[in-house]
Amino acid sequence: MSNFYHMPVLPKPDAKKVTINVDGADVEVPEGTNLVEALKTIGIDTPHFCYHQDLPVSGNCRQCMVETDGPRGMGLAIACYTPVRAGMKVATDRSSDKVKQARQAVMEFQLANHPLDCPICDKAGECSLQDNYMAAGRHESRMREDIGKLYKGSPEFRHEDAKGQERGGKHVDLGPTVILDQERCILCDRCVRFMRSVAGEEQLYINQRGDHAFLSTFPGMELKHDYDLNVTDICPVGALTGKHFRFRQRVWNLSKTETIDPFDSLGANITVEHNDGQAWRIMPRRNPEVNKSWISNRTRLEYQKLSKDRLTAGSFQKAEVPLAQAVARAGELVRGARKVAVVASGTLTLEDNAALQALVAGLDKKAELFSGSWAKVGSPDGIAQSGDPVGNRLGLKLLGISENLDELVARAKEFDVLLVAGHDLWALDAQKAKALEAIPERIVLSPWHDATTAKATLSVGVRAWAEVRGTMVNCQGRIQMLNAAPILPSPDLEPVWQVVSSIGKLGWTSELDAYKAAQAGIPALAGINYRGIGSQGRLLEGVVA
Amino acid sequence: MTTLTVTQNFGKGAKDIAVYRKLGGYSTIGQKLFDLSQFEMIDLVQRSGLRGRGGAGFPTGMKWSFVPRGGKPVYLVVNADEGEPGTFKDHVLMQEDPHRLIEGMILCGWALGVRTAYIYVRGEFLPAIETLNAAIKQAYEAGFLGENIQGSGYSLDIYVHRGAGAYICGEETALINSLEGFKGQPRLKPPFPAVSGAWASPTCVNNVETLMALPWIFENGAEAYAAMGTPKSTGTKVFSVSGDVKRPGVYEVPLGTPLMELLESDKYCQGVVGKLKGVIPGGSSSPVLTVEEAAKATMDYEALAALKTMLGSGAVVVFNETRSVVGMLASLTRFYAHESCGQCTPCREGTGYADRILKTVVAGKGRDGDLENMLSLADNFSYTTICPLASADAGPIQNFIGKYRAEFDAVVARNPEHADERVTPAFRPGAFW
Amino acid sequence: MARIVPRTEMTLVEKAYIPEIARGLKVTMGHFLKGFFKPESIPVKHYPEVEPFVPRDYRSRHRLMKRPDGEPRCVACFMCATACPANCMTIEATSSDDDRIEKKPSKFEIDQLVCVFCGLCVEACPVDAIRMDTKKMAFAADKRETFKVGLEDLMDWDPKDYPESDIQSQKAPGGTLNAQARKEWGLQ
Amino acid sequence: MGHCHKHVDQPKAEEILPKLEVPSVLSRVEELIRRYPVPRSALLQVLWLAQETLGWLPQEAIKWAAAKCSVSPVHAYGVSTFYTMYKKEPTGRFFLQICQNVSCHVLGAEDIIAHAERTLGISSHGGTTSDDLFTLLRVECLGACGNGPVMQVNDDFATDVVDGKLAMPAGVALTAERFDKIVAWCRDRAKSLSKEPKRDATGGIFESKGHPGAKGAVSQAQGFYAPVPPALGVAAVRTDDGKVKLTWRAAPETTTLHIEKKTGSDFAVAASISGKEKEWLDDAAEGTEYRIVTETAQGRGKASNVAKAPAAKGA
């Protein structure tokens, strides 16, 4: 348990290579890493439960056994804690029966007291126990049923089932977000290590010992932390599940779209998982440079808003109008105005903001571009949030859009048309926003019915962040991709840049046109295309000192 | 007359420092010691050939030589968490001669540059802890502990740390975890405690008996100690003999003494009660010896290793023909299942499962194949875990069943349906379905 | 790859058609005359007045099995929906009120117009909760929506319609084994 | 008592804190924390202290101990459940623990346990008599196998009653009669003494100066104290090419080795080499005397033994 300072050494792209012998063949692997990571670089997956790239090594599950050469000849060792040594010999289950038997044995031990819950277990389909069981082989059971299982559970949750078998704790309510099934727990202690080493608050612990050990909080205390839902991801079995997703979907039905969280300037890498045109959950996507494997509960629950209060049409003078009509009307208003104030936003992509910039440029002196946010900026929590709710703040700066929203408030009377996109100004600061009501025509592009659309004279529904393809620059100066998940509440909805293109008659047909416009304004983006950004983002040189 | 190096003060009331000093105690803490460098002190122990008396038998001097000097503070932790079934020598040693332990600790402390030392005593030994604390208090008052010991400029504090009932804390890294205020679960190695142990500092973990041998070695010289015992197992060893012998107790004999001499000699156990059936020579985790093997066994590390067993902590458990080995094994598997720390999967689930199988067998519900399953489980959980507890369970399972198979088969045969084909109870989904 | 199968040439008699027509009429007339003069020799099923014999393993309309307390046995594991080749099942899950049971369906819908009656759902079920042994094989309705049967419809069956040997059915409310099963389940 | 699954009514914090937050306990806690470099390490001892004060360990007491040792409550809870000697439920006045492990088992512990269950009418898995006098528990090895079967009454080993006191004379095992004797002794004591006197759970305390640097400690860190290590086992041999090879063992902290050669009646430094060197070669006649003086950061050590160059080979 005190093994909480052995962080695994992960392979770096520029790491020195050493030669080791794996299953009789010499291969080159990064120096200094552990064998799990080293074998991964040459395409060999080592099954494991307790090992996690971003957590200290605990080495208790014993599933990742390989044979290595030591002073006493070839012997079993855990791959997650054996460092690569030049010239070492390694035998995996592909060449060693001993390894195969050891892994089968561990699998048998894991399942000896594990309930046969798979059909009702939310983890089924993405469960390490299932995967490793299928990989390990030996699928017949030697266990005598009349000896029974020893289900894990704290004394207060022990009960007898209809068979007369003593059972452990099922669906134990741990706190506001997480439910624990003590029987399913395989005591890998990943969650304990996460709460201690990453979250920094020890709220979970494995109590008692031997095969009656069980995971729990202090009796009567809750698991409550802004990052506590991460324990449901790292739980290799279905012991810890999130209340928000419990029983909603079977995971094998879900499709995945890789994107990022636009409501924090770190831009945590996430995957939106959807089925039947609806987003069901958000999972963290590993990016060692940005958010490691973690996302905050706020990010994780962001999907719930995607299907709530959506503005799927336009509205003009309090009456609903079809989108096309609303867009056309907006175009007339903007082009026919005396003076237009356009407000760009840091929660929109570079493409959207480039479109707004182009719109203002096209209107010549008639339009002025404003930006900024009244949202409160917090401080980084050191895990997966920078505390700044404006995701693309740096992108705006790169585009040369200054933060002068307060100036607009002061000069509101000069304008007769206001175009706001991606801002809920009235919700952030109704006091300041009140001045903007002096502008007679207020056009709002928003995915949601919100306080700002309520104040608009013309509102146009647009796609939300998870439904658009585009780019954002996070606070580290890393450009990252958003991808569109097929979860549109209405097929007619268009992204902001397209609506703006229609308003300003820019003639853009795809986000690439918009991106090219952004590229033209940002020298650091020269030569970087969407493919070059990749799933892990790309650090822009010289953007952040 | 056997030279006694550790137990010579038994029965003389050496708990009291006045008596202990009259018997020659604390004579080593003087100029002779203060003139020695740490290097020479370690060299002395290395030359004596003293090996750890806690179970593994690792050369003490070599262990000390791994401890880096001059960096972080070095800790000395005395392993008095004597929990191995059959072992009770440290318990008696601490009770009878606590000052010798303190003297040994000062010598070791000098050699390693220890400022603070802890004696980790298992929780059940409260009387021994009280004895130790009283002795430590006396030693402080006499100036053998505390700051500037006897004007040498060397300071040493000794504290007793009471354990709370976990056999696994006898494993040195688990003991360190327990000392640090964690659950007593063994740590991954490397780093070994000698390099990074308690509070990530170099830590030397030594058994009570090992340290108590130091004053004699220092006084009489390494060569005199090495002259006793066998060339590879030097010196004397304290054996705790229990079970079916006429006079169970703690006996110090030179290593290499024949087992039967220990059991039969009038000086020691005075013979076996009833007809000998077997002997566990080194604590519960060492493989059992049958009568024939016991007859030729000599008590040293190498001879017992040749018999595929081990000297361990020197706990000799003797049992006669009237005792059921099935019951004995059942009590051992229950013990290991109870004491598994729950960290590594094979040990956590395996020891418990083996125990449940054997319980079923003892209850008369054994089936053909159960013993094979147990052997296979034992094979699967030995040497696949962080610490050797699972292997310590596998040893007795494999040896008891291997050497007394007929007896186990007879117990299985008590179930009239033992040979029936396994019946799977009718499919009845669990209540949660 | 397509394979060309040469057609057999028709004989002259076949080409003339008349003899072939006569041969066909012979069969027709034979049945006509048989029915006219000896009607009892022709087997007739008086459907729907008389229920046809349906074997027990005939894959007919689905039913959901019940626990002794009348709750569905279904644990909403989605195995049937996953196995279904026609994608005709819609299931929504919720947590059960019974503390010993974790999961239950809040919605269980089968679109019988889409169903291909392959029986894979029955095979897939890990808890014997769905069966296709109702022997109901004729479906008629005036609206498409009516063919979508839900939880209530699927559970609307009577143990009396099933043989005594069908233990699972008899444990449901109204069955001969219900009292015993309720006791086992601690439902006194 | 770790594995007894009983529902226990937990006292509230305000019921137990007045008993724990008293100067006698707090000063002990301070002393215990002072013994370790970090407060966390005193956790086991502070839990002992709480158990001794209250008779058992309610959850609020665990929380209290956690706060004292600056660990999270759940950490302290996990630790307290890991170790079996912390009582998570109240026991009777005399807590009888009978060893059931191999040595005692061989000598008939099961019979004694059965006898105890019969006479007291309680289960040996933590049963308590209705008068709250006895709690009986079968435990694993108690570390007194020479007296097996063996029993502990509260914190004392007891296989017999000698001179009106519980005792464990050498070689005296627990038998059914002796068990009855002990039980009778306990009952007598319960009549004459209203309460068991408190034992010091950590074995008595002395006012220690503490671990250097620990909270509240006044002791000084250890400076350099021992003499500089000399080189040991200096030996001289002839190599095949007729040279004298000096070998020695030196401590790893040695920085410099001064090799001294005897010229006339005095030794003079012949060479000063790095402390990492393992050997040194010289041309010298038979009988030349060498010794080595080591040097570390602390200064020079004493001279080593004297080695004489042997005769040349074939000479």
Side-chain angles (χ1 to χ4, degrees), chain C residues 69 92 132 142 151 177:
Chain C
D69 56 353
E92 275 170 24
M132 294 179 77
D142 52 359
L151 207 51
L177 299 171

Side-chain angles (χ1 to χ4, degrees), chain B residues 126-210:
Chain B
L126 185 59
I129 293 172
E130 285 167 345
T131 310
L132 274 174
N133 266 328
I136 291 170
K137 198 170 179 185
Q138 286 179 336
Y140 267 102
E141 281 159 6
F144 290 113
L145 289 177
E147 282 178 49
N148 195 11
I149 294 172
Q150 302 288 317
S152 64
Y154 173 62
S155 312
L156 176 68
D157 284 316
I158 296 181
Y159 302 112
V160 177
H161 183 99
R162 187 182 181 190
Y167 164 69
I168 190 60
C169 291
E171 202 272 352
E172 57 178 2
T173 52
L175 184 139
I176 288 171
N177 264 352
S178 183
L179 183 69
E180 281 198 40
F182 292 109
K183 302 198 286 181
Q185 290 183 324
R187 294 179 181 178
L188 292 170
K189 281 156 274 188
F192 288 92
V195 180
S196 173
W199 304 288
S201 290
T203 306
C204 179
V205 184
N206 275 127
N207 181 255
V208 172
E209 192 192 336
T210 318

Side-chain angles (χ1 to χ4, degrees), chain B residues 27-360:
Chain B
S27 58
T28 58
I29 315 300
Q31 207 50 48
K32 192 180 153 202
L33 173 67
F34 304 145
D35 283 345
L36 275 191
S37 68
Q38 295 176 280
F39 185 58
E40 284 166 291
M41 190 68 201
I42 294 171
D43 184 65
L44 174 83
V45 177
Q46 262 175 333
R47 277 185 290 128
S48 75
L50 177 66
R51 290 169 71 165
R53 301 291 191 230
F58 192 78
T60 307
M62 195 190 283
K63 194 182 206 170
W64 289 8
S65 69
F66 295 149
V67 176
R69 288 191 289 273
K72 285 182 167 180
V74 179
Y75 294 101
L76 167 65
V77 182
V78 181
N79 186 346
D81 188 66
E82 184 177 47
E84 181 100 354
T87 319
F88 53 101
K89 61 177 177 77
D90 295 345
H91 189 190
V92 179
L93 289 171
M94 288 186 293
Q95 284 276 28
E96 289 284 335
D97 205 357
H99 284 290
R100 182 171 293 273
L101 175 61
I102 296 168
E103 192 177 342
M105 287 174 76
I106 300 170
L107 294 175
C108 174
W110 178 272
L112 300 176
V114 175
R115 175 69 182 84
T116 315
Y118 299 92
I119 312 178
Y120 187 102
V121 191
R122 69 178 289 197
E124 283 89 345
F125 293 170
L126 185 59
I129 293 172
E130 285 167 345
T131 310
L132 274 174
N133 266 328
I136 291 170
K137 198 170 179 185
Q138 286 179 336
Y140 267 102
E141 281 159 6
F144 290 113
L145 289 177
E147 282 178 49
N148 195 11
I149 294 172
Q150 302 288 317
S152 64
Y154 173 62
S155 312
L156 176 68
D157 284 316
I158 296 181
Y159 302 112
V160 177
H161 183 99
R162 187 182 181 190
Y167 164 69
I168 190 60
C169 291
E171 202 272 352
E172 57 178 2
T173 52
L175 184 139
I176 288 171
N177 264 352
S178 183
L179 183 69
E180 281 198 40
F182 292 109
K183 302 198 286 181
Q185 290 183 324
R187 294 179 181 178
L188 292 170
K189 281 156 274 188
F192 288 92
V195 180
S196 173
W199 304 288
S201 290
T203 306
C204 179
V205 184
N206 275 127
N207 181 255
V208 172
E209 192 192 336
T210 318
L211 290 170
M212 284 176 77
L214 292 177
W216 194 93
I217 296 174
F218 191 79
E219 225 163 52
N220 299 287
E223 284 67 31
Y225 193 81
M228 292 188 285
T230 67
K232 279 190 169 171
S233 307
T234 60
T236 59
K237 167 96 186 81
V238 180
F239 290 98
S240 37
V241 190
S242 61
D244 288 315
V245 286
K246 293 210 176 89
R247 207 169 62 125
V250 171
Y251 303 104
E252 184 179 359
V253 295
L255 284 161
T257 308
L259 172 61
M260 291 320 283
E261 189 191 324
L262 184 67
L263 299 185
E264 303 286 352
S265 163
D266 282 346
K267 273 194 292 182
Y268 308 126
C269 300
Q270 297 174 349
V272 177
V273 179
K275 191 163 171 281
L276 185 67
K277 185 179 189 179
V279 179
I280 303 175
S284 63
S285 41
S286 63
V288 65
L289 294 174
T290 58
V291 182
E292 301 81 54
E293 288 168 328
K296 53 187 172 184
T298 60
M299 300 305 274
D300 57 84
Y301 295 101
E302 286 73 32
L304 287 179
L307 286 169
K308 296 207 167 62
T309 180
M310 56 190 187
L311 186 70
S313 54
V316 182
V317 182
V318 183
F319 54 99
N320 66 21
E321 284 289 350
T322 62
R323 312 301 182 190
S324 154
V325 287
V326 183
M328 282 176 70
L329 182 60
S331 82
L332 282 179
T333 52
R334 184 196 56 225
F335 170 71
Y336 285 108
H338 181 260
E339 296 298 346
S340 166
C341 80
Q343 194 176 198
C344 306
T345 309
C347 172
R348 179 183 69 228
E349 309 289 348
T351 52
Y353 199 71
D355 178 41
R356 273 180 287 153
I357 295 180
L358 198 57
K359 270 201 187 114
T360 319

Side-chain angles (χ1 to χ4, degrees), chain B residues 427-433, chain C residues 67 73 100-102 127 184:
Chain B
F427 174 75
R428 200 137 68 95
F432 55 93
W433 279 14
Chain C
R67 296 176 194 270
R73 281 180 73 82
R100 299 171 302 174
I101 299 155
E102 196 149 345
V127 292
E184 267 177 39

Side-chain angles (χ1 to χ4, degrees), chain A residues 428-445:
Chain A
L428 288 172
D429 196 333
Q431 209 69 36
K432 285 185 184 173
K434 205 162 174 19
L436 300 179
E437 285 169 39
I439 303 172
E441 291 294 345
R442 300 179 293 274
I443 308 169
V444 176
L445 312 187

Side-chain angles (χ1 to χ4, degrees), chain A residues 1-2 60-62 65 81 101 109 113 116-117 142-144 148 152 163 167 186 206 209-210, chain B residues 165 177 183 185 187 190 338-340 343-345 348-349 353 356 365 370 376 380 384 432-433:
Chain A
M1 290 305 291
S2 70
N60 61 35
C61 77
R62 319 306 286 180
M65 292 271 190
Y81 197 64
Q101 197 210 329
F109 289 131
N113 294 332
L116 291 171
D117 260 1
R142 300 191 294 170
M143 301 302 182
R144 258 178 75 175
K152 296 171 186 16
K163 276 176 167 178
R167 302 300 300 269
I186 58 165
I206 292 170
R209 66 190 193 202
Chain B
N177 264 352
K183 302 198 286 181
Q185 290 183 324
R187 294 179 181 178
H338 181 260
E339 296 298 346
S340 166
Q343 194 176 198
C344 306
T345 309
R348 179 183 69 228
E349 309 289 348
Y353 199 71
R356 273 180 287 153
K365 289 181 201 149
D370 279 352
S376 161
N380 283 345
T384 54
F432 55 93
W433 279 14

Side-chain angles (χ1 to χ4, degrees), chain A residues 247-273:
Chain A
F247 301 157
R248 294 291 151 83
Q249 278 287 308
R250 300 317 302 258
V251 293
W252 55 80
N253 289 333
L254 298 175
S255 310
K256 297 173 183 186
T257 301
E258 294 184 347
T259 183
I260 60 163
D261 169 24
F263 299 110
D264 185 86
S265 72
L266 192 66
N269 288 209
I270 54 172
T271 311
V272 176
E273 306 202 356

Side-chain angles (χ1 to χ4, degrees), chain D residues 10-269:
Chain D
Q10 294 291 341
K12 290 202 178 69
E14 52 267 31
E15 287 170 46
I16 61 155
L17 285 184
K19 291 180 193 162
L20 293 171
E21 295 281 338
V22 292
S24 62
V25 175
L26 291 178
S27 65
R28 294 279 310 271
V29 170
E30 263 173 41
E31 204 280 333
L32 287 170
I33 287 175
R34 199 154 64 213
R35 294 177 171 196
Y36 304 92
V38 289
R40 180 193 64 216
S41 305
L43 179 61
L44 263 71
Q45 310 305 309
V46 175
L47 285 171
W48 271 124
L49 210 56
Q51 172 159 321
E52 168 212 321
T53 313
L54 302 170
W56 63 295
L57 261 187
Q59 284 167 6
E60 287 299 332
I62 297 173
K63 233 186 237 178
W64 171 83
K68 291 284 167 225
C69 299
S70 334
V71 295
S72 66
V74 72
H75 174 113
Y77 183 69
V79 167
S80 77
T81 55
F82 182 86
Y83 298 100
T84 51
M85 288 183 71
Y86 294 122
K87 303 178 197 163
K88 259 71 74 193
E89 58 203 68
T91 56
R93 175 166 169 183
F94 299 101
F95 184 29
L96 312 179
Q97 304 178 73
I98 307 182
C99 172
Q100 55 169 346
N101 212 293
V102 63
S103 291
C104 297
H105 176 91
V106 161
L107 296 165
E110 286 304 322
D111 300 339
I112 307 260
I113 292 173
H115 172 80
E117 284 190 328
R118 254 195 328 273
T119 38
L120 298 175
I122 48 176
S123 148
S124 62
H125 295 276
T128 305
T129 51
S130 53
D131 55 1
D132 263 350
L133 265 191
F134 297 102
T135 297
L136 183 62
L137 187 69
R138 40 170 82 220
V139 293
E140 302 300 344
C141 190
L142 286 170
C145 316
N147 293 63
V150 75
M151 177 167 83
Q152 259 194 330
V153 179
N154 293 339
D155 289 318
D156 288 310
F157 289 88
T159 53
D160 202 355
V161 181
V162 180
D163 303 335
K165 271 187 195 159
L166 295 178
M168 185 176 67
V172 173
L174 187 70
T175 58
E177 299 83 62
R178 292 198 186 114
F179 178 82
D180 291 342
K181 216 164 134 190
I182 291 168
V183 168
W185 180 89
C186 292
R187 288 195 199 280
D188 277 353
R189 189 177 168 89
K191 274 180 207 137
S192 58
L193 210 67
S194 65
K195 235 166 104 186
E196 280 300 299
K198 283 244 166 77
R199 280 288 278 278
D200 202 318
T202 46
I205 212 112
F206 41 88
E207 202 47 41
S208 78
K209 289 187 174 167
H211 185 287
K215 196 179 150 198
V218 290
S219 58
Q220 298 297 313
Q222 178 74 57
F224 170 74
Y225 65 92
V228 174
L232 294 176
V234 179
V237 291
R238 281 277 172 200
T239 57
D240 292 339
D241 49 359
K243 288 193 170 179
V244 176
K245 186 167 89 174
L246 274 189
T247 55
W248 61 86
R249 280 177 291 131
E253 62 265 33
T254 313
T255 51
T256 321
L257 290 156
H258 303 286
I259 296 171
E260 295 182 349
K261 211 167 167 181
K262 195 170 193 179
T263 43
S265 60
D266 281 340
F267 279 99
V269 177

